[in-house]
Amino acid sequence: MLKSVTESFASMIHGLKVDHLTDGVIQRSKRMILDSLGVGFLGTGTEVFHKVTQYSKIYSSNTSSTVWGRPDFRLPPTYAAFVNGVAVHSMDFDDTWHPATHPSGAVLPVLTALSEALPQTPKFSGLDLLLAFNVGIEVQGRLMHFSTEAKDIPKRFHPPSVVGTLGSAAAASKFLGLSLTKCREALAIAVSHAGAPIANAATQTKPLHIGNAAKHGMEAAFLAMLGLQGNKQILDLGSGFGAFYANYSPKGLPSLDSHIWLLDQQDVAFKSFPAHLATHWVADAAAAVRKHLVVSERAPLPTDHIDRIVLRIPDVQYVNRPFPDSEHEARHSFQYVACAMLLDGSVAVPSFHSQQINRPEVRELLEKVELEHRPDNLPSFNTLYCEISVTLKDGTTFTERSDTFYGHWRKPLSQEDLQKKFRANASKVLSRDTVESLIRVVGNLENLEDCSTLTTLLKGPSVQEEASKLSHMFSFHHTTLH
């Protein structure tokens, strides 16, 4: 008798072993983990992170897990996963996959929370974490391959809220060692927790989609452990998981004997600045056209000479924001990223601060931007391009095009640049020694015997350590003055 699609997913989650991991998958997933930790640490300084941590303080438990970068603040595992997931996506700086989703943020916070909260003998190893992480990533990818709609930039549901919730449930189920039946139940429960509309993109609510996916997936695994049951064919039905996607056509997975990881076939993209992935093509093209407009790299842009700016990009409505009013809107604005790059010659974390967004020269330039949507420029992260034309008042036009930016899977970030990004992000919260220790530990994760080595580093400096550091600094300052 043929297995149902749902049964085949449960079999994959339950049956995959450490021996199934390939060197390629291990290396790629370690890069995803390092990047997610870095953007998560940076995200702990955001307003949305502050709000969700204030809210989560009303929950307490005898079992608790670390909130990244907050050594004196612990939460029940589900809420630690929630706030850490929010931190990862709080600035839209996390990894992006194809078909379109942010795969890591819904999974990694679950595993760091569980590895700390659960008594385990022998201890969870780095390989245990890598296996569960990749199971969570794999489930997301497999589900997105069941619909042609999922291959495009989303229009209805935000993908991490859908597939991320099931990826979280799968990763938690694997880490907890659930039976095949309970893995299936966890998926069914997770489907009833899934889904968030794309209309909340470019708001403070969007990062909650990742946090909720992490939290709800873990809850689904816990409820399955307790015997809660759901529809045994939840992934087979159009009225089940298929409710989230048009043209849903699920297929049973091949046996584990012939298992090929999707991450081996399709790498992720890493962002060099915190904004929607599609804006990275815009920044790349704008940087190229800027060279025609300025006499030197640091010279100011002659804005008064510019008559019009045309961006030829895919029709993605939620990234079409002519005059963004907030950092979240600016991160989802083709127009703003183009103007910021033209004006400044770079786009970085500070580019989305309110004082940068509201500069008069930015507003002046935004008035000159027009969008064009050519029929061949489809809204897919695998095929889209950006062409930018800047026409001067004397009629001269300069045009540049970007088909692939640095950081895309076709042009991946070097390991050196990935670590550079991590250092820049994590150093906002952690000491230099801790940052370097995390790079070493994650880089050698497959040989880590005890995950507590990792979770201890994630706590960051305690209040006492910070006070000691300040005391030393003041002592040093006092000494140098005399």
Side-chain angles (χ1 to χ4, degrees):
M1 180 178 172
L2 288 174
K3 289 181 182 176
S4 68
V5 173
T6 311
E7 192 79 12
S8 73
F9 269 75
S11 296
M12 179 183 74
I13 295 165
H14 180 260
L16 281 170
K17 307 293 185 207
V18 163
D19 290 345
H20 285 100
L21 292 171
T22 65
D23 288 342
V25 161
I26 288 173
Q27 296 310 316
R28 284 181 172 178
S29 55
K30 287 192 300 184
R31 283 164 59 87
M32 294 161 73
I33 289 168
L34 188 70
D35 188 65
S36 299
L37 291 175
V39 298
F41 284 123
L42 183 66
T44 63
T46 60
E47 185 180 354
V48 62
F49 177 81
H50 176 70
K51 288 176 178 176
V52 298
T53 51
Q54 288 299 107
Y55 156 72
S56 298
K57 283 179 180 177
I58 67 174
Y59 298 96
S60 62
S61 165
N62 291 332
T63 303
S64 64
S65 302
T66 292
V67 175
W68 297 351
R70 298 289 189 273
D72 303 304
F73 179 30
R74 297 176 67 83
L75 286 170
T78 49
Y79 282 90
F82 169 64
V83 300
N84 291 333
V86 168
V88 169
H89 196 54
S90 62
M91 297 171 72
D92 219 313
F93 210 0
D94 44 332
D95 55 22
T96 306
W97 209 15
H98 175 72
T101 194
H102 304 285
S104 300
V107 174
L108 183 61
V110 171
L111 300 176
T112 62
L114 285 176
S115 69
E116 207 177 2
L118 299 174
Q120 172 80 357
T121 308
K123 295 290 185 184
F124 291 111
S125 69
L127 275 173
D128 293 328
L129 189 147
L130 282 166
L131 177 61
F133 178 82
N134 278 291
V135 166
I137 302 301
E138 184 76 3
V139 164
Q140 294 178 68
R142 294 283 176 179
L143 290 170
M144 289 189 295
H145 279 275
F146 292 161
S147 168
T148 54
E149 180 187 356
K151 291 180 172 58
D152 291 340
I153 298 170
K155 292 180 179 178
R156 300 187 302 135
F157 291 100
H158 190 210
S161 72
V162 180
V163 296
T165 307
L166 275 76
S168 164
S173 298
K174 187 65 187 175
F175 214 50
L176 293 166
L178 299 196
S179 68
L180 190 153
T181 299
K182 291 192 186 305
C183 288
R184 185 191 68 215
E185 302 296 2
L187 291 173
I189 298 164
V191 172
S192 282
H193 279 305
I198 202 66
N200 265 328
T203 73
Q204 287 188 333
T205 297
K206 188 187 179 211
L208 272 63
H209 298 173
I210 298 271
N212 281 329
K215 171 177 171 285
H216 289 153
M218 190 191 295
E219 287 175 340
F222 284 157
L223 290 167
M225 282 179 74
L226 294 170
L228 194 74
Q229 297 177 343
N231 191 307
K232 293 178 173 59
Q233 293 190 308
I234 196 72
L235 302 183
D236 297 73
L237 303 172
S239 58
F241 186 77
F244 294 110
Y245 290 105
N247 306 311
Y248 184 66
S249 182
K251 296 178 177 60
L253 302 180
S255 74
L256 294 181
D257 294 338
S258 55
H259 181 77
I260 297 173
W261 297 93
L262 291 179
L263 188 59
D264 251 337
Q265 301 174 308
Q266 174 67 62
D267 201 359
V268 300
F270 294 111
K271 299 177 179 180
S272 57
F273 59 86
H276 189 276
L277 192 73
T279 67
H280 287 63
W281 279 268
V282 173
D284 194 47
V289 88
R290 186 179 191 272
K291 293 175 182 176
H292 298 292
L293 304 172
V294 295
V295 293
S296 68
E297 194 172 317
R298 296 193 176 188
L301 185 76
T303 53
D304 54 329
H305 293 175
I306 295 175
D307 183 53
R308 64 197 289 251
I309 301 165
V310 178
L311 301 180
R312 299 179 185 92
I313 38 84
D315 185 8
V316 182
Q317 286 303 308
Y318 75 100
V319 198
N320 176 6
R321 298 180 188 273
F323 300 100
D325 289 324
S326 69
E327 63 165 298
H328 296 282
E329 288 190 358
R331 297 183 200 285
H332 294 76
S333 170
F334 288 125
Q335 296 92 330
Y336 175 74
V337 169
C339 291
M341 179 59 83
L342 286 172
L343 279 168
D344 304 326
S346 66
V347 181
V349 171
S351 302
F352 300 93
H353 295 169
S354 58
Q355 61 268 32
Q356 294 293 105
I357 298 166
N358 295 314
R359 287 177 290 169
E361 57 268 39
V362 170
R363 296 285 145 169
E364 178 190 346
L365 212 55
L366 284 168
E367 295 274 2
K368 301 177 181 184
V369 180
E370 305 167 19
L371 301 187
E372 289 182 2
H373 308 304
R374 289 176 173 170
D376 69 324
N377 200 357
L378 302 176
S380 164
F381 290 139
N382 206 39
T383 60
L384 78 83
Y385 64 86
C386 172
E387 190 173 277
I388 178 170
S389 293
V390 176
T391 301
L392 305 182
K393 289 180 178 176
D394 67 5
T396 307
T397 297
F398 298 104
T399 299
E400 292 287 351
R401 171 171 163 149
S402 172
D403 292 300
T404 306
F405 63 89
Y406 181 50
H408 190 270
W409 44 83
R410 287 192 298 270
K411 202 173 184 180
L413 278 188
S414 68
Q415 189 65 12
E416 181 182 355
D417 284 342
L418 190 76
Q419 290 180 0
K420 184 178 178 181
K421 177 186 174 183
F422 175 78
R423 287 186 179 98
N425 290 336
S427 63
K428 298 288 191 294
V429 177
L430 304 177
S431 69
R432 184 190 301 175
D433 287 348
T434 304
V435 169
E436 296 305 318
S437 294
L438 271 169
I439 290 173
R440 286 193 298 272
V441 167
V442 174
N444 200 37
L445 199 54
E446 66 271 38
N447 297 313
L448 189 68
E449 293 184 0
D450 185 349
C451 278
S452 66
T453 304
L454 174 64
T455 54
T456 298
L457 291 170
L458 298 183
K459 295 176 184 178
S462 68
V463 172
Q464 293 87 345
E465 288 170 337
E466 285 292 286
S468 173
K469 189 192 302 180
L470 283 171
S471 173
H472 175 74
M473 285 171 61
F474 283 124
S475 171
F476 176 78
H477 183 64
H478 180 76
T479 303
T480 56
L481 288 175
H482 289 80

